[in-house]
Amino acid sequence: MVLRTGLSAVSAALLAMNRQLEVRDVLQTIVRSARDLLDAEYAALGVPDDRGGFAQFVVDGVSDEEWKAIGPLPRQHGILAAMLQQGTPQRLADVRQDPRFEGWPAAHPEMSDFLGMPIADGDEVLGALFLANKRCDKPAGGCAFTEEDEALLRILAEHAAIALTNARLHERGRELTIAGERARIAHELHDAVAQKLFSLRLTAQAAAALVDRDPDRAKAELHQVAGLAAEAADELRAAVVELRPAALEDDGLVATLRTQIQVLDRAHSAAVTFDCQGVRALPAAQEEALLRVAQEALHNALRHSAASRVGVALTRRDGDVVLRVTDNGSGFDPIAVRRAGRHLGLVSMRDRASGVGGALTVVSEPGKGTVIEMEVPGE
């Protein structure tokens, strides 16, 4: 009957542990459940680090004031170290009399009866869980914690390992999601906003050059600057909330590309042309990827290649859609660029292409211009 009651309490403890997803919450639930289950005055759980200390150490039964007075986290020594290194449970009548006991700080509460259990996932010891001072009459010369207590704590520890592993996986997944989101925003900022600001700078330079000899044209260019600034703000907001580029929502890929290329052609000394054959509306993800790759390729050609001609073409090939950006600029050695670490643009473009099931091809060599081609599946 006592064992059945204990198992019911274990079941309740397991349910409480598995409701938690944060590692710290899981640790606290384990410690609190163990202390309540075995009616102990104190409970603690230490998760070791790789420097001889503890990455986390959670206690129950000690007030915040008492915990602060105790001082720094304990090191991996004595009985705690034995549990972590040997992976064996410890049940002691008086922890202070054990030859491995190395003392504790002056403010540390007095403990005698001790029951410790490693929390292990296979051969890996994830932590050490221990209880002290069972609230019952202590048998003469023996430990107040019984063999039944040890069996119950072993069950709790086995399931605690599962709950702790799940919580760690959850946190790792969240970290990867955050890292992916940061990478996405970095790509968006590099691919879209940087290109727009580049166009804005070129247009402003053109306006400054015209202000004396052709005020009317300068005024028109300044209106274009205001429009580009507004578009850049829209692109920034879109990057943050993962919306499609602003112009795509209203105009679609072909019209958006045509407008942006007209702006670049006016603002830059190079002749920038656009040709579209047989391409109309595409799925939203494909349109955005194609636009971003076109923007990146244009940015590279106009800023780095000293090209006098840059051409952008959208065509059909065997049912697929092909974006082709060519320039007659200085070209580059793709291998040398990759080794030098100057490859964010190329990596970004390849990511864009693969993200919609497409492929990216880059053909270039010094003195012979560059061809960047992206092909995506047709409808």
Side-chain angles (χ1 to χ4, degrees):
M1 181 67 181
V2 174
L3 180 59
R4 186 178 301 167
T5 302
L7 290 174
S8 297
V10 170
S11 177
L14 299 183
L15 289 173
M17 280 190 292
N18 286 293
R19 290 191 190 103
Q20 308 298 329
L21 290 176
E22 304 296 330
V23 169
R24 186 76 182 180
D25 292 340
V26 169
L27 296 177
Q28 290 174 333
T29 303
I30 294 170
V31 170
R32 185 169 55 252
S33 298
R35 180 176 173 232
D36 292 343
L37 178 65
L38 299 183
D39 196 24
E41 188 174 1
Y42 303 109
L45 194 164
V47 176
D49 59 23
D50 56 1
R51 300 179 299 277
F54 288 92
Q56 292 173 299
F57 201 91
V58 179
V59 299
D60 196 52
V62 177
S63 68
D64 291 341
E65 292 75 16
E66 290 172 327
W67 183 245
K68 289 177 183 178
I70 291 172
L73 289 179
R75 303 292 295 171
Q76 295 177 30
H77 60 77
I79 299 169
L80 289 181
M83 282 194 291
L84 293 172
Q85 294 165 9
Q86 300 168 14
T88 56
Q90 305 288 324
R91 185 160 60 92
L92 307 171
D94 191 337
V95 65
R96 297 165 296 185
Q97 303 302 315
D98 190 277
R100 297 165 295 181
F101 179 68
E102 298 181 12
W104 46 51
H108 197 283
E110 287 295 318
M111 298 179 180
S112 56
D113 301 280
F114 181 92
L115 176 59
M117 186 69 63
I119 297 175
D121 180 17
D123 294 332
E124 180 188 3
V125 177
L126 305 178
L129 171 65
F130 67 89
L131 308 171
N133 297 7
K134 187 173 176 70
R135 296 190 186 98
C136 69
D137 293 334
K138 182 175 179 177
C143 180
F145 291 107
T146 65
E147 291 184 4
E148 183 181 282
D149 290 334
E150 185 175 330
L152 289 175
L153 191 61
R154 187 188 301 276
I155 295 171
L156 185 68
E158 289 171 352
H159 288 273
I162 298 171
L164 183 55
T165 299
N166 287 341
R168 284 179 167 177
L169 289 173
H170 169 76
E171 290 197 355
R172 180 58 179 158
R174 185 176 61 186
E175 290 171 4
L176 291 172
T177 299
I178 292 171
E181 185 68 4
R182 286 175 176 168
R184 180 191 67 78
I185 292 176
H187 280 322
E188 294 286 351
L189 293 176
H190 180 266
D191 293 353
V193 181
Q195 323 297 348
K196 196 74 67 176
L197 294 177
F198 177 58
S199 298
L200 192 154
R201 180 170 65 86
L202 291 176
T203 306
Q205 289 173 345
L210 291 168
V211 70
D212 291 327
R213 70 173 188 269
D214 194 338
D216 289 337
R217 282 190 62 194
K219 184 177 180 180
E221 295 294 336
L222 288 174
H223 281 303
Q224 188 66 41
V225 167
L228 286 169
E231 289 177 14
D234 289 339
E235 296 284 7
L236 182 59
R237 282 191 293 270
V240 174
V241 299
E242 201 176 11
L243 297 174
R244 296 178 73 202
L248 280 179
E249 290 293 333
D250 299 325
D251 302 330
L253 174 65
V254 175
T256 299
L257 261 180
R258 181 175 286 113
T259 299
Q260 293 191 6
I261 289 168
Q262 287 172 350
V263 169
L264 291 174
D265 184 50
R266 289 198 306 269
H268 202 274
S269 60
V272 188
T273 61
F274 176 63
D275 181 55
C276 178
Q277 300 291 332
V279 178
R280 296 180 181 175
L282 296 169
Q286 288 189 355
E287 289 203 341
E288 181 173 354
L290 287 163
L291 176 63
R292 296 310 195 196
V293 169
Q295 288 174 325
E296 177 64 38
L298 283 164
H299 176 78
N300 290 342
L302 294 172
R303 187 169 187 178
H304 302 301
S305 76
S308 61
R309 295 191 310 277
V310 182
V312 179
L314 269 178
T315 59
R316 289 275 183 180
R317 179 194 294 161
D318 298 329
D320 292 340
V321 176
V322 178
L323 168 73
R324 186 179 177 89
V325 182
T326 60
D327 70 69
N328 65 346
S330 58
F332 61 93
D333 180 349
I335 296 176
V337 167
R338 185 165 57 250
R339 287 175 178 170
R342 297 171 55 245
H343 60 281
L344 174 60
L346 297 179
V347 170
S348 173
M349 287 189 281
R350 288 196 174 93
D351 287 348
R352 292 282 183 188
S354 64
V356 292
L360 188 88
T361 304
V362 179
V363 178
S364 185
E365 59 180 287
K368 295 191 177 181
T370 300
V371 177
I372 292 178
E373 189 174 278
M374 174 179 170
E375 184 171 358
V376 298
E379 298 177 66

